[in-house]
Amino acid sequence: MTTRTKSLEAYKKAIRAQYEIEKQGKYSSFLSNPSRAKLRQLCEERLKETHEKEDRLSFNLVFGFEYEAGNRNRLKSLTDKFRPIETFFKGETDLADTETINIAALLVDYKPRPFRVFVEKSKGITALQQDVTIPTKEEETPIVNDKIPQPKNKWKKNVGIGILAVTGLFSVGYTAKDLVVNDKECMQWQIDHYEYVDCNTNTIQGFLEIPIEPADENKAILKKIDVSEKTTFFVNDKPVIWYSKVDGIPEYFNTHGFHPITGKPLKPITKYMIDKWVKKKE
């Protein structure tokens, strides 16, 4: 599986997880039991709300015209184009076309989107590194810190300094925080939370029960928690606790995402789950 394919699968997985959240939210009437017509109507609502040019570009590439409020009848005639997204949300089929996947992300308001931005944000510094040519020993190289450039596989320790020195050459929206490389570029699930660890070779990883993953600040905030009747499960009627069943028993987490061991999307807590699993039975 190529790196792009892996990233695309991760993107689709994240969109499905967001769908599980959104179908109980503001647009639940469109998403709880999605149909082509409902998704078309939701698409119009999302496009009215968004100011992102990327969303309108994705729409144009999928439907063949620029979205405007007066194009409702034109879009209505293309309702069948929402069928692949309908069956994708229902878990019946998969999506292969990147732009159609971007429309699915728009419908559930998943961010970062589109796929190009998702890849950049997911890889962080790695995405930028690929645009930087690392000189070999034989090449004449501009002096950045009076040191001989190192080969690509030994360059990690100095990448923070090197990238900051050349950021002016790139017109990308990275901040200094995004560019500074942590000494530990990987993380691993440890009982109830993620810890940053040193990256190991594939051979060493193969002996670990829990795999080592690329460091991800957004994912690293996930924590497994204990709950009780006194736990705050909702804020403004929106769930703030997520769960996933493992061997039939629910495990609870502080945010949405995926179960760190099973990889299944976490589901937002419901009153039914609280009544069944949390409240004490007399």
Side-chain angles (χ1 to χ4, degrees), residues 200-208:
N200 296 305
T201 64
N202 289 332
T203 302
I204 296 177
Q205 287 184 37
F207 290 99
L208 296 176

Side-chain angles (χ1 to χ4, degrees), residues 170-189:
F170 301 93
S171 57
V172 290
Y174 287 93
T175 63
K177 179 181 178 182
D178 297 318
L179 294 170
V180 175
V181 177
N182 195 309
D183 288 340
K184 296 181 178 179
E185 296 179 347
C186 293
M187 63 185 189
Q188 185 183 40
W189 183 254

Side-chain angles (χ1 to χ4, degrees), residues 27-123:
Y27 291 117
S28 60
S29 59
F30 295 101
L31 293 170
S32 58
N33 185 25
S35 66
R36 282 163 280 177
K38 287 180 180 179
L39 294 179
R40 184 199 74 236
Q41 293 170 343
L42 177 57
C43 186
E44 291 186 68
E45 295 300 319
R46 293 295 194 190
L47 286 170
K48 289 176 186 177
E49 295 175 350
T50 183
H51 299 289
E52 298 295 332
K53 292 181 179 179
E54 295 276 11
D55 290 332
R56 293 179 179 271
L57 176 60
S58 293
F59 178 90
N60 194 347
L61 291 172
V62 171
F63 297 98
F65 63 92
E66 293 185 5
Y67 173 78
E68 294 178 0
N71 286 335
R72 295 192 64 187
N73 289 335
R74 191 173 181 182
L75 181 59
K76 191 174 182 178
S77 68
L78 298 173
T79 299
D80 278 346
K81 280 188 172 288
F82 289 93
R83 180 177 177 81
I85 301 176
E86 173 195 345
T87 54
F88 171 73
F89 285 154
K90 290 179 177 179
E92 298 172 357
T93 61
D94 199 3
L95 288 175
D97 178 66
T98 304
E99 294 304 334
T100 303
I101 298 169
N102 288 334
I103 295 297
L106 167 66
L107 292 174
V108 297
D109 196 26
Y110 173 76
K111 296 177 182 179
R113 68 173 186 267
F115 178 60
R116 175 186 61 77
V117 176
F118 172 82
V119 171
E120 290 175 357
K121 295 290 185 182
S122 297
K123 290 184 178 180

Side-chain angles (χ1 to χ4, degrees), residues 151-215:
K152 194 179 273 188
N153 62 343
K154 294 183 179 180
W155 191 61
K156 280 185 178 179
K157 292 184 179 179
N158 295 326
V159 68
I161 297 173
I163 294 296
L164 287 173
V166 297
T167 49
L169 300 177
F170 301 93
S171 57
V172 290
Y174 287 93
T175 63
K177 179 181 178 182
D178 297 318
L179 294 170
V180 175
V181 177
N182 195 309
D183 288 340
K184 296 181 178 179
E185 296 179 347
C186 293
M187 63 185 189
Q188 185 183 40
W189 183 254
Q190 304 284 350
I191 302 176
D192 61 0
H193 67 286
Y194 279 104
E195 286 189 8
Y196 289 100
V197 297
D198 292 325
C199 299
N200 296 305
T201 64
N202 289 332
T203 302
I204 296 177
Q205 287 184 37
F207 290 99
L208 296 176
E209 183 178 357
I210 302 175
I212 290 177
E213 307 174 41

